[in-house]
Amino acid sequence: MSDSSLIAKAEKMKTYSNAIWLDSIKNMQSWLETNLKGALSQQNASGKDVLTVFVVYDLPGRDCHALASNGELLANDNDWARYKSEYIDVIEGHLKTYKSQPVVLIVEPDSLANMVTNLESTPACRDSEKYYMDGHAYLIKKFGVLPHVAMYLDIGHAFWLGWDDNREKAGKVYAKVISSGSPGKVRGFTDNVANYTPWEDPTLSRGPETEWNPCPDEKRYLQAIHKDFKAAGISSVYFVCDTSRNGKKVDRKHPGEWCNQTGVGVGARPQASPVSGMDYLDAFYWIKPLGESDGTSDESAVRFDGYCGHETAMKPAPEAGQWFQKHFEQGLKNANPPL
C-alpha cells in the first residue's frame, strides 16, 4: 500500500487481536502451540490474563453446501478417524498443557447451520451429517470439561437461520448436539462468522425485501434466538458476534450473497459486553480476518463457487483463505466506526 491514510488505518487494526484459524492439520500444528506459548509469555510478563481465540475448522466434509471452502478431510470413516486422532486429540493435548490461560474456541463455522437447513436439498450435507454430529459430540466431550476453555458453536447469521421455523428447528438441533457432548459444557454461540450482515439495520423490517425474515440484522437475530434456545432447554446461551466485515451495508442484492462482497467495511472493534441491556452478548470480535478471500472468482478452479462470480463479488479474487489486498483496502476505507 502506498496510501498513507490507509497505512495509518492498517496500523490501528494491528492494535486489535483477531481469531486464529486452525483450518487444516498442518496449520493447527503450526499455529496452535506457537500462539499459546506466546500468550503465556505475555501473561507472565504482564501479570494479567491473556486470551487466545482459535477457530476449530476441519470437520470431514467441511462446508457441505459450498465449494469455495471445502476442507482437506472427506466425509468417510478414514478421515473421521484422522479428525479425531490427528486434529482434535492434538488440540486437546496442547490445551491441557497450557491450562493457566484463558482460551476461546469458535467451533466449526457453518456446520450445524447446514444441518438445520440443507440436509434435504444437498446430498453432500446428508453424506456429512454423521461426521458433523459425531464430531461435535466428540470435541465437546474433550474440550468442554477444561475449565479454562470456553466454547462457542456457530449459528450462521440472520439471513440463514433468522426465520421463525429455522430458529425453532435450530433450537432442537443445537440442544441435541450439546446434550450429546455431556459432560462437556458449551458457553454459547457465534454468529455472522465470515459474513457481512450489519449489527443493526433500521432500514429493514419483516417484508418482501427480506423475504419476510423477522430478524433482518444480527441484533434482532440474537435477541430472538436467545429466547428460542432458552425455550429449547439450552442452559448457557451467550454470544460472540463477528464484526470484522459488517461495519457498512455491502452492495449485495440478496442477503444470501456471501462471497467477497463489494462495499465491505470493518465493523465494531473487539469488545467485551459491548451492548447495554444485552448481558448475554459476551463480545464483538474479529473472527474472520479482513483481507482473507472467501473464495476464488476463477471459474475454471476446482473450488470455484458460483456465488464468487456474482455481480457484487469483488473480482479477480484468489482462493479462499488467501490474501485479497483490494478487499482489505476497501474494508479499511469503509470502516464504521472509522479507523
Side-chain angles (χ1 to χ4, degrees):
M1 281 189 306
S2 58
D3 186 325
S4 60
S5 65
L6 287 185
I7 292 172
K9 293 177 189 295
E11 289 295 328
K12 288 181 182 178
M13 278 199 75
K14 287 166 62 176
T15 65
Y16 296 93
S17 62
N18 58 245
I20 300 153
W21 287 63
L22 310 177
D23 56 358
S24 68
I25 292 169
K26 180 181 178 182
N27 285 345
M28 180 272 293
Q29 292 169 338
S30 298
W31 291 110
L32 178 61
E33 186 174 24
T34 298
N35 283 281
L36 287 172
K37 189 179 293 185
L40 180 59
S41 177
Q42 290 180 32
Q43 181 169 292
N44 289 338
S46 67
K48 299 178 181 179
D49 285 349
V50 175
L51 172 70
T52 316
V53 181
F54 296 101
V55 181
V56 176
Y57 187 52
D58 205 25
L59 269 173
R62 187 180 79 194
D63 245 13
C64 61
H65 192 62
L67 297 174
S69 46
N70 291 161
E72 63 185 349
L73 301 179
L74 304 179
N76 61 53
D77 288 347
N78 287 337
D79 281 359
W80 164 234
R82 290 190 67 199
Y83 179 73
K84 290 186 288 184
S85 64
E86 298 180 41
Y87 187 71
I88 296 299
D89 291 358
V90 176
I91 294 173
E92 178 196 25
H94 288 306
L95 293 176
K96 285 182 173 179
T97 299
Y98 293 88
K99 58 187 178 182
S100 65
Q101 62 207 84
V103 173
V104 161
L105 299 179
I106 310 298
V107 176
E108 298 291 354
D110 293 352
S111 56
L112 292 180
N114 274 316
M115 296 296 94
V116 175
T117 63
N118 292 320
L119 278 179
E120 295 179 5
S121 63
T122 309
C125 291
R126 291 197 296 274
D127 293 342
S128 301
E129 180 182 13
K130 175 184 185 297
Y131 305 108
Y132 281 22
M133 302 301 280
D134 290 352
H136 277 81
Y138 188 80
L139 65 86
I140 292 170
K141 288 175 183 176
K142 292 279 187 177
F143 305 148
V145 296
L146 303 177
H148 65 297
V149 175
M151 262 192 304
Y152 296 83
L153 309 184
D154 185 68
I155 54 168
H157 53 85
F159 280 98
W160 191 341
L161 300 182
W163 288 266
D164 294 344
D165 53 345
N166 284 349
R167 296 195 323 274
E168 181 181 2
K169 187 176 179 182
K172 297 174 182 177
V173 169
Y174 285 81
K176 178 181 177 181
V177 166
I178 293 169
S179 177
S180 73
S182 181
K185 303 293 185 183
V186 170
R187 167 71 182 176
F189 308 90
T190 49
D191 67 295
N192 206 40
V193 173
N195 206 263
Y196 301 89
T197 311
W199 173 246
E200 289 185 280
D201 188 349
T203 69
L204 293 180
S205 59
R206 187 173 194 164
E209 186 182 1
T210 61
E211 298 181 357
W212 306 100
N213 185 348
C215 306
D217 57 33
E218 293 303 307
K219 183 177 182 179
R220 280 177 277 186
Y221 176 48
L222 294 191
Q223 288 171 333
I225 211 161
H226 179 262
K227 296 177 183 176
D228 295 328
F229 277 18
K230 283 289 188 179
I234 301 173
S235 59
S236 186
V237 185
Y238 297 89
F239 301 102
V240 174
C241 179
D242 187 356
T243 58
S244 60
R245 306 191 301 178
N246 74 340
K248 178 180 179 291
K249 194 171 182 177
V250 293
D251 297 334
R252 60 188 180 188
K253 297 180 178 179
H254 184 277
E257 302 275 5
W258 54 265
C259 190
N260 298 321
Q261 290 300 288
T262 55
V264 64
V266 175
R269 310 299 174 259
Q271 180 184 348
S273 303
V275 178
S276 176
M278 292 184 73
D279 58 355
Y280 50 85
L281 178 63
D282 279 347
F284 288 151
Y285 198 73
W286 291 347
I287 298 174
K288 169 76 173 185
L290 176 71
E292 286 193 1
S293 175
D294 294 321
T296 181
S297 58
D298 179 359
E299 295 183 15
S300 66
V302 173
R303 297 206 303 171
F304 173 73
D305 189 295
Y307 277 98
C308 300
H310 284 192
E311 182 182 348
T312 59
M314 188 179 286
K315 308 173 200 66
E319 289 277 2
Q322 294 184 5
W323 189 251
F324 194 177
Q325 182 68 22
K326 186 178 178 182
H327 207 241
F328 176 69
E329 292 182 13
Q330 188 172 78
L332 295 178
K333 290 177 183 175
N334 291 333
N336 179 33
L339 285 162

